[in-house]
Amino acid sequence: MALISLRNITKVYGQGDAQVIALDNIHMTISDGEFVAVMGPSGSGKSTCMNILGCLDTPTSGSYRFQDMEVTTLDQNQRALLRRNFLGFVFQGYNLLKRTTARENLELPLVYRGVPAKERHERADHVLELVGLEDRGHHTSAELSGGQQQRVAIARAIITSPLLLLADEPTGNLDSQRSLEIMNLLARLNEEQGITIVMVTHEADMAEFAKRVITFRDGHIAQDTAEAEAVAP
Amino acid sequence: MIWNTMQLALREIRFNLMRSILTALGIIIGVAAVIVIVTLGGGATARVTSDISSLGRNLIIVVPGKRGPSGREQGTPFELQDANAILEEVDGVAGVAPTATKSITVIYGNESWSTSIHGTNNGYMGVREWALAAGRAFTRGEERSGRAVCVIGETIRRELFGFQNPIGATIRADNIPCEVIGLLEPKGTATFGTDQDDLVVTPLRTFQRRISGNRDISMIFVSAAAAEMTTKVQNDIQTLLRQRRGIRDNEQEDFEVENLQEITKVVESTTGVLTALLSAVAMVSLIVGGIGIMNIMLVSVTERTREIGIRLAIGALERDVLLQFLVEAMMLSLAGGIAGILFGLFVSFWLSEALNLPFILNVPIVLIAVVFSAFVGIVFGFFPARRAARLNPIDALRYE
């Protein structure tokens, strides 16, 4: 079943002469359980596409269906509810809250969902174990290394059991060893938990972990391995 | 949820502790000012009221002369007959005490003391609601014969007798030997600064014969039988004395009939108006404090734009962010309000002691201060909070 379906998505920034077309009439379908890497040079529109997928930004025109829901007609609050209920985010800069322990960071999405304290603690224990940081729960972000921070960020994204995990260059700030750890973690989550992952990356090595690679160029989709396979005999 | 929000706000306040204290200072000062003004105003009113009523309830004072722009003008003194006429002809009079006064020096042993002596009758104690602490009042015989006996106030006892028993002793009042037969209960110092206990009371006849040498009455104390009757009694005395002193209808009287209840009312309404006015000024400083909170919340929203973006991305709704900043502003102003109340109560307690006023805790104004400071937080926190909540998540996340 198609989890995500983009049809004729266009995103234009600015007005008049300063107008920039970030996405030009994009079509994309992503099914449940896929692990998709989105590649392309900077300015190719891949981040814009991610933001639209994550309901953080709205397209100028086109249709975006999440499951059976038309997202483009939702208001800001409905989009926030959609993020709350179905999406998880991992950012390049980790985006953990300052002066807050790993555990508190993890529990925050659950706090917003009104999950009682006891269940929050249990689920935090569970995801900390999943990302291998059982003993780091009480450290603040400043006390964690970059790799550890990113693992906390991933744990925070999956603690709500989202349908879709959006990762924007999750290994962008990490050395190759840490990057591999993170990618293995994401691949495992995709395999074992069945979480659909869409990940933006610059690096071809990282894209190899994904089952499907979509390459953007100048606001168009230049290549999609899924379509290539379909076309190939 | 609300508990988590409060914890979060507390952490944010604690992290920016110095800034938070400075911000709350506006509220602290405003609330403290209101509390101090209202408490002291209430204390002053209570003090004046109790002082006036300590002169005697339902008391009417008749004095010769008229209060003019340049102080009291002299008027013809009253006569004893005027006082008797009031007692006999005016309805609703419970007691009349014609009184004459003179400044004298009293001597006992090696001690001497400058004071005033009041020549009056036994009714004086009743009219002024003044009980005896020891000894007895004058007898009929003493009043009629003008025996040299006297009742003294607490100050005289303290200054002349120290720890000795004054009853039965003989003091010299302007060289007239006078036996002390009674001691008045202490009344304390009045608001106007006069020591009410600094007096010697002697029968009127004794005073006229031995001390003043004339028959002038300088003051008539009258007590009405009931509080409701004071105004009527006051008017009747006015009419009666105008007649007796032969004042024509179109002429101003050369005496004054003062009703203590009226004076009390005037004092109460004056201090009330003054308190209200000063409170209004203090309220303005509360509003200024609120603007301070709004300012700092706006700074805080800008500083934490990225944090707001993260929160929106991981599941916060607009109202969650709105609530977070509202709660923070409210806690800031509420903490300021509570600190202001404590500070204000402390200052007013201390000032009450220093100014010798009763400390009257005004509970409603404390509650109003709490509610008002929380209200200030909500009103002035709303605009910054809404601004935070309306942030576009992607812009907030990209904010550096």
Side-chain angles (χ1 to χ4, degrees):
Chain A
M1 189 193 92
L3 179 65
I4 288 170
S5 149
L6 300 185
R7 288 287 167 270
N8 305 99
I9 288 290
T10 299
K11 177 72 182 179
V12 181
Y13 290 112
Q15 281 172 337
D17 288 344
Q19 215 171 46
V20 177
I21 300 172
L23 288 177
D24 189 4
N25 219 19
I26 296 288
H27 302 274
M28 186 193 288
T29 306
I30 295 173
S31 307
D32 228 348
E34 279 198 83
F35 187 170
V36 183
V38 177
M39 296 193 68
S42 23
S44 61
K46 59 185 192 306
S47 285
T48 306
C49 183
M50 282 293 275
N51 292 334
I52 288 172
L53 288 182
C55 303
L56 294 171
D57 208 350
T58 47
T60 312
S61 66
S63 151
Y64 169 19
R65 295 186 78 81
F66 187 88
Q67 289 184 310
D68 282 332
M69 204 182 336
E70 180 57 50
V71 176
T72 48
T73 55
L74 299 181
D75 66 21
Q76 188 164 333
N77 206 46
Q78 289 167 319
R79 288 201 304 277
L81 274 170
L82 194 144
R83 285 198 298 271
R84 169 189 277 200
N85 292 328
F86 303 117
L87 304 184
F89 290 90
V90 178
F91 304 94
Q92 179 178 5
Y94 325 132
N95 277 347
L96 298 180
L97 293 184
K98 282 176 283 182
R99 311 188 292 277
T100 309
T101 64
R103 198 169 258 287
E104 287 169 321
N105 263 294
L106 289 183
E107 292 188 13
L108 196 57
L110 301 180
V111 169
Y112 285 129
R113 285 160 178 82
V115 177
K118 191 166 172 291
E119 192 187 336
R120 288 206 304 265
H121 299 330
E122 285 167 7
R123 281 166 76 171
D125 285 337
H126 175 69
V127 289
L128 275 172
E129 200 185 313
L130 213 60
V131 299
L133 287 174
E134 301 94 321
D135 52 344
R136 289 283 188 273
H138 295 289
H139 292 245
T140 62
S141 12
E143 295 164 348
L144 297 171
S145 71
Q148 288 169 335
Q149 285 189 54
Q150 192 60 297
R151 280 193 275 165
V152 173
I154 291 171
R156 184 179 65 184
I158 61 171
I159 195 167
T160 58
S161 313
L163 289 178
L164 173 64
L165 180 66
L166 294 161
D168 192 356
E169 301 197 41
T171 60
N173 287 359
L174 300 174
D175 61 42
S176 54
Q177 183 59 37
R178 304 294 148 234
S179 299
L180 282 177
E181 277 176 30
I182 294 296
M183 290 316 300
N184 278 319
L185 177 60
L186 288 178
R188 223 176 71 221
L189 288 171
N190 175 248
E191 282 296 323
E192 293 170 10
Q193 319 266 324
I195 299 174
T196 310
I197 300 178
V198 178
M199 171 187 77
V200 168
T201 183
H202 272 310
E203 297 152 273
D205 323 357
M206 303 303 142
E208 276 173 21
F209 284 85
K211 296 169 187 164
R212 172 181 171 191
V213 179
I214 299 174
T215 311
F216 275 77
R217 192 159 292 130
D218 301 330
H220 297 278
I221 293 178
Q223 197 193 7
D224 186 340
T225 55
E227 282 168 20
E229 279 163 27
V231 171
Chain B
M1 181 69 215
I2 189 75
W3 174 238
N4 283 296
T5 313
M6 281 166 71
Q7 274 182 316
L8 193 73
L10 258 184
R11 178 189 306 194
E12 215 44 59
I13 288 171
R14 225 173 19 208
F15 182 75
N16 290 313
L17 192 60
M18 192 62 194
R19 187 165 88 183
S20 304
I21 290 173
L22 286 175
T23 309
L25 201 58
I27 301 286
I28 293 176
I29 291 172
V31 169
V34 172
I35 299 264
V36 169
I37 288 164
V38 172
T39 311
L40 285 189
T45 309
R47 176 69 196 276
V48 171
T49 315
S50 85
D51 278 348
I52 292 172
S53 68
S54 81
L55 293 171
R57 242 173 301 162
N58 313 336
L59 184 63
I60 295 163
I61 303 174
V62 190
V63 284
K66 193 79 188 167
R67 203 176 284 142
S70 56
R72 186 176 287 281
E73 291 162 29
Q74 283 294 335
T76 323
F78 299 113
E79 298 165 350
L80 186 58
Q81 284 79 356
D82 293 324
N84 292 339
I86 291 171
L87 185 61
E88 282 157 20
E89 291 176 31
V90 177
D91 284 337
V93 169
V96 175
T99 306
T101 313
K102 193 175 181 240
S103 297
I104 51 155
T105 305
V106 286
I107 301 167
Y108 178 74
N110 293 327
E111 307 291 335
S112 76
W113 182 252
S114 293
T115 183
S116 63
I117 186 161
H118 288 211
T120 183
N121 60 19
N122 259 336
Y124 184 83
M125 270 66 99
V127 169
R128 294 206 54 193
E129 296 180 22
W130 210 341
L132 288 170
R136 58 172 179 88
F138 314 125
T139 61
R140 284 269 161 180
E142 282 165 348
E143 283 190 337
R144 220 171 294 142
S145 65
R147 252 195 80 195
V149 291
C150 60
V151 172
I152 60 171
E154 172 65 19
T155 305
I156 307 294
R157 185 203 62 73
R158 192 181 64 231
E159 296 298 333
L160 293 190
F161 294 95
F163 293 105
Q164 297 173 54
N165 180 13
I167 308 297
T170 300
I171 59 172
R172 298 179 71 83
D174 271 4
N175 291 326
I176 315 294
C178 186
E179 189 195 344
V180 178
I181 57 166
L183 174 65
L184 290 164
E185 279 196 334
K187 274 205 177 200
T189 307
T191 328
F192 341 102
T194 48
D195 179 359
Q196 298 189 76
D197 297 322
D198 189 3
L199 86 172
V200 174
V201 185
T202 187
L204 183 62
R205 176 153 292 198
T206 315
F207 181 91
Q208 288 175 337
R209 278 204 189 148
R210 307 197 182 199
I211 293 175
S212 69
N214 61 41
R215 300 184 150 265
D216 295 347
I217 302 289
S218 54
M219 203 183 271
I220 303 173
F221 293 101
V222 181
S223 73
E228 314 83 71
M229 301 175 78
T230 44
T231 312
K232 186 187 164 294
V233 170
Q234 183 187 14
N235 291 338
D236 289 354
I237 292 172
Q238 182 120 357
T239 314
L240 177 71
L241 288 181
R242 281 183 77 101
Q243 256 172 37
R244 291 186 63 86
R245 289 161 81 87
I247 296 162
R248 268 179 255 127
D249 285 350
N250 54 356
E251 270 178 348
Q252 272 273 326
E253 60 267 28
D254 60 346
F255 64 92
E256 221 161 353
V257 185
E258 286 168 347
N259 176 348
L260 278 191
Q261 278 199 331
E262 273 175 14
I263 298 173
T264 312
K265 267 182 210 149
V266 169
V267 169
E268 274 175 352
S269 76
T270 310
T271 49
V273 167
L274 214 62
T275 304
L277 207 70
L278 288 171
S279 303
V281 173
M283 285 282 180
V284 171
S285 72
L286 265 180
I287 290 170
V288 174
I291 293 170
I293 285 185
M294 176 146 98
N295 189 17
I296 223 64
M297 290 312 292
L298 281 173
V299 171
S300 183
V301 167
T302 310
E303 273 184 0
R304 285 150 69 189
T305 301
R306 202 177 164 82
E307 177 202 315
I308 294 165
I310 298 170
R311 289 179 184 279
L312 287 170
I314 65 174
L317 302 184
E318 250 181 70
R319 64 182 155 92
D320 295 326
V321 175
L322 185 80
L323 193 71
Q324 180 188 340
F325 281 86
L326 260 189
V327 164
E328 199 176 315
M330 205 177 91
M331 282 179 87
L332 207 55
S333 67
L334 196 61
I338 289 168
I341 286 168
L342 295 178
F343 183 58
L345 287 180
F346 173 77
V347 168
S348 37
F349 184 77
W350 179 73
L351 273 178
S352 297
E353 293 279 291
L355 297 175
N356 202 11
L357 293 175
F359 175 74
I360 297 166
L361 181 63
N362 190 330
V363 176
I365 203 72
V366 170
L367 294 180
I368 287 171
V370 172
V371 172
F372 192 80
S373 55
F375 182 71
V376 163
I378 291 174
V379 167
F380 289 99
F382 184 76
F383 176 65
R386 200 188 56 176
R387 191 158 139 166
R390 294 251 174 109
L391 280 173
N392 191 5
I394 191 65
D395 294 337
L397 273 171
R398 280 188 188 142
Y399 187 87
E400 292 297 333

